[in-house]
Amino acid sequence: MSEQNIVWDLSLIQKYNYSGPRYTSYPTALEFNQNYDESAFVAATQRYPDNPLSLYVHIPFCHKLCYFCGCNKLVTRQKHKADEYLQVIEKEISQRAALLKNRTVTQMHWGGGTPTYLDKTQVSHLVSLLKTHFHFSDDVEMSIEIDPREIELDMIDHLRSEGFNRLSMGVQDFNKQVQVLVNREQDEEFIFALINRAKEIGFTSTSIDLIYGLPKQTPESFAFTLKKVIELSPDRLSVFNYAHLPNLFAAQRKIKDEDLPNAQQKLDILQETIATLTTEGYQFIGMDHFAKPQDELAVAQREGILHRNFQGYTTQGNCDLLGLGVSAISMLGDSYAQNQKDLKTYYAQVEEQGHALWRGLVLTDDDCLRRDVIKTLICNFQLDFAQIEALYPIDFKAYFSEDLQLLQPMAEDGLIEMTETGIKVTPQGRLLIRNICMCFDVYLRNQMRQRQFSRVI
C-alpha cells in the first residue's frame, strides 16, 4: 500500500460531505441501552479470558474551560476534588480488577479532562493503585494526555519515572488570536521544551492534537501552525474538525458564529494540512490521523493489521478494553459498557455497588461481523472477502448483497474498486472512508430517526 496515496477531489468531497459516525465502535454508542446490567458485564469479562487487557482511566478535571470542548469534564481549581475522586475510583478499580485478575495489562491510557490536573503525589498514588490490582507486562505501553498550560517541566520526568512512555498534547492552534477566542492561551516556547524533554528522557511516542474550524482561523493562519508543528516533529498528529454544536455544549456559546471560518475555508485548511504533512513525510493513517512512516501505527497499516477502538487507532487489537472512572467506556468480550456520566451519580453508585455501570450493549453475531468489516475498511482501506468468510460462516456477497448495492454509486464515483474477491478504497476515497463504512451500518439504515453526528470532513 502506498504510504502517501491520497487524492483531493473537491467535487467528490462536497458531494459526500454529510454527517456520519466516526466508528470508534460498531454499533455506535447511540445504540447503548440501560438493559445492559452487571451480570452481562461479568459475563463479558469471562468471554475471552486469555486476552490481554488495555486500561483506560478517565480524569475529568480541568483548570480552565476551553470554549470548543465537548468532553466530559469538571472545571475547578479545588485540588481536593481530585483526592476525593481517587478515593472513589480506588473502590471501582478494586471491584473490577477482581473480575480480571488473571489478565495481563499491555496498554494503559489516561484521558480527560486533563490527567495532568493530578499533582505528582496523586499521579504516583493512582499508578501504584493500578499496579497493585492489575498485573502489568514488562513492556507495557503507558500513555497520557497533557495540557501544556498547567504543568511544570519536571512533571515530564515524574511521568517517565512512573512508567509512562507515550504522551499526547493538545495544542489546537499556535495562533495567539485563535487561542484567546477559545480561552486556551499557551506558551509556545514551553510546548517545545515539553516535547523536547519527553524525547530526551525516553518517551517513545509524542503526539500533538490540532483542531481546524476554530474562530478566526484561515488557511494562512493555519499554515503558520503547521510550520510550528513540523519544527516540533511529533511522531503522530491528530487534526480534528471542530463541530460547532452550541445547543449541546454550553461553552461553545461563547464562540461567535461570525468568527468561524466558512465551509470552503475549512476545506482549504484541511487540503493544505494534508498536503503539508504528507510532503513532510507523514503517513495519512485515516480519519484525522497522521504518523511518521516508522511509527508503529504506520507500519501496522502498511501490513494490514491496524485496529481501532474508543481511544482511536491502535496496534493492540486483541486486547479487551476496561474503562475506569466517570463516563469511561469498556469493550469486553463482544460487548460495550459505559460508566455513569454525571460525577455525583458516579460517586453514589460506586459507594453503593462498587461499580458505576450505566449502560451498554451485547453484540449480536451480525454486529460482530459488521464491526469487523467496518474496522478492516477504516483501518486498512481494503477488505478481502475470504478473510471475513474464514472468520464467519457466510458467503460474503450473498450476506452483504444489499450493502454492496449501496456501495455501487461510490464505485461509479471512483471512491472504491470492487472485484470478485474484495473492496479496495481508492486514493480519492480515503478521505471519505466514513461514508464507505456507513453502507455496512444496518442501524443507520434501518432506524431513520434524526441523529447528530459531525460532518465527515
Side-chain angles (χ1 to χ4, degrees):
M1 183 187 293
S2 170
E3 294 169 30
Q4 307 300 0
N5 216 356
I6 319 167
V7 171
W8 182 274
D9 188 315
L10 183 60
S11 62
L12 286 176
I13 288 168
Q14 290 174 330
K15 176 177 180 178
Y16 286 98
N17 191 18
Y18 43 80
S19 300
R22 301 184 60 79
Y23 293 119
T24 50
S25 74
Y26 178 85
T28 70
L30 289 165
E31 307 307 330
F32 294 3
N33 62 76
Q34 292 181 52
N35 296 326
Y36 186 93
D37 59 13
E38 182 65 6
S39 63
F41 185 94
V42 173
T45 65
Q46 308 309 312
R47 180 81 190 265
Y48 303 116
D50 297 326
N51 278 9
L53 198 59
S54 176
L55 299 179
Y56 171 74
V57 184
H58 190 79
I59 309 296
F61 306 105
C62 290
H63 294 95
K64 294 177 183 173
L65 179 66
C66 301
Y67 296 159
F68 56 78
C69 184
C71 298
N72 188 37
K73 78 279 183 188
L74 175 68
V75 179
T76 178
R77 289 266 171 194
Q78 296 175 288
K79 296 292 284 185
H80 71 272
K81 292 198 172 182
D83 286 321
E84 181 185 6
Y85 187 74
L86 293 179
Q87 286 174 359
V88 178
I89 203 173
E90 180 173 3
K91 294 174 183 175
E92 185 193 3
I93 289 168
S94 174
Q95 200 265 9
R96 289 316 195 201
L99 299 171
L100 297 154
K101 54 181 176 290
N102 295 322
R103 304 288 193 101
T104 298
V105 175
T106 57
Q107 186 180 52
M108 180 170 72
H109 180 76
W110 291 10
T114 305
T116 50
Y117 184 93
L118 303 182
D119 62 29
K120 292 173 188 171
T121 301
Q122 291 165 334
V123 166
S124 296
H125 177 60
L126 183 52
V127 170
S128 175
L129 271 178
L130 291 159
K131 289 192 171 179
T132 298
H133 285 91
F134 293 97
H135 171 64
F136 281 64
S137 71
D138 291 337
D139 59 349
V140 62
E141 177 186 301
M142 287 173 57
S143 61
I144 187 167
E145 298 169 13
I146 71 171
D147 182 343
R149 296 171 302 169
E150 300 276 348
I151 186 173
E152 298 295 328
L153 187 60
D154 66 353
M155 176 58 102
I156 298 293
D157 296 71
H158 186 72
L159 292 171
R160 186 73 194 93
S161 71
E162 288 292 349
F164 287 94
N165 46 29
R166 295 160 179 263
L167 65 81
S168 170
M169 186 190 300
V171 172
Q172 324 316 347
D173 195 302
F174 276 106
N175 183 283
K176 288 297 177 191
Q177 183 187 23
V178 176
Q179 291 175 12
V180 168
L181 288 172
V182 297
N183 200 36
R184 193 183 175 91
E185 294 179 69
Q186 300 165 139
D187 183 330
E188 182 184 306
E189 284 186 16
F190 190 58
I191 289 171
F192 275 77
L194 285 168
I195 293 292
N196 290 336
R197 184 64 185 157
K199 291 177 179 179
E200 282 171 13
I201 63 174
F203 276 80
T204 56
S205 177
T206 54
S207 180
I208 294 293
D209 293 342
L210 303 177
I211 299 178
Y212 70 97
L214 294 176
K216 296 297 184 182
Q217 277 181 341
T218 65
E220 294 74 26
S221 76
F222 208 70
F224 169 80
T225 287
L226 292 172
K227 181 173 178 288
K228 294 293 180 185
V229 166
I230 298 305
E231 289 175 30
L232 263 182
S233 191
D235 300 290
R236 298 177 185 176
L237 271 160
S238 301
V239 188
F240 296 112
N241 170 20
Y242 170 62
H244 190 55
L245 301 168
N247 291 335
L248 281 181
F249 306 114
Q252 293 188 358
R253 293 170 203 159
K254 294 180 181 291
I255 292 176
K256 296 176 183 175
D257 289 7
E258 60 266 26
D259 284 342
L260 295 171
N262 62 37
Q264 186 57 51
Q265 285 177 308
K266 285 182 74 172
L267 287 176
D268 290 344
I269 291 170
L270 180 61
Q271 183 178 14
E272 178 180 58
T273 298
I274 293 169
T276 300
L277 294 177
T278 54
T279 298
E280 290 292 334
Y282 284 89
Q283 182 172 320
F284 176 70
I285 302 297
M287 294 290 290
D288 317 284
H289 290 73
F290 300 81
K292 289 184 175 178
Q294 66 272 24
D295 184 272
E296 63 180 10
L297 288 186
V299 173
Q301 186 176 64
R302 293 198 298 273
E303 294 176 354
I305 54 172
L306 189 62
H307 293 274
R308 188 164 171 79
N309 62 22
F310 287 103
Q311 296 163 37
Y313 291 101
T314 178
T315 56
Q316 300 201 26
N318 62 334
C319 286
D320 271 356
L321 170 64
L322 175 65
L324 298 161
V326 63
S327 77
I329 298 177
S330 300
M331 298 172 72
L332 294 163
D334 291 316
S335 78
Y336 304 131
Q338 184 173 19
N339 281 350
Q340 294 285 354
K341 288 179 83 170
D342 174 73
L343 191 58
K344 286 182 180 176
T345 311
Y346 169 82
Y347 284 163
Q349 191 173 319
V350 173
E351 294 291 355
E352 185 181 326
Q353 301 176 30
H355 65 79
L357 180 65
W358 170 37
R359 61 178 189 164
L361 184 71
V362 178
L363 275 64
T364 65
D365 290 344
D366 180 72
D367 290 338
C368 293
L369 169 56
R370 291 176 183 275
R371 172 198 64 192
D372 287 353
V373 167
I374 287 171
K375 186 169 76 170
T376 301
L377 281 169
I378 210 164
C379 290
N380 301 312
F381 295 129
Q382 52 195 7
L383 181 74
D384 181 347
F385 297 159
Q387 284 185 336
I388 298 296
E389 290 169 339
L391 296 172
Y392 297 92
I394 62 159
D395 176 293
F396 190 98
K397 284 185 284 190
Y399 191 95
F400 288 108
S401 58
E402 186 179 351
D403 312 77
L404 294 173
Q405 282 181 330
L406 290 171
L407 281 171
Q408 196 56 47
M410 295 185 180
E412 292 166 6
D413 279 340
L415 300 185
I416 57 170
E417 294 169 1
M418 285 203 285
T419 67
E420 286 297 304
T421 59
I423 299 166
K424 186 172 184 181
V425 181
T426 66
Q428 289 88 341
R430 292 188 180 191
L431 282 171
L432 297 164
I433 187 64
R434 287 161 72 178
N435 305 73
I436 294 164
C437 292
M438 284 156 68
C439 293
F440 290 97
D441 187 336
V442 76
Y443 291 91
L444 204 61
R445 188 183 319 157
N446 291 346
Q447 303 169 10
M448 303 301 288
R449 61 182 183 265
Q450 185 64 34
R451 295 268 174 92
Q452 279 192 303
F453 294 111
S454 61
R455 284 182 178 269
V456 298
I457 297 292

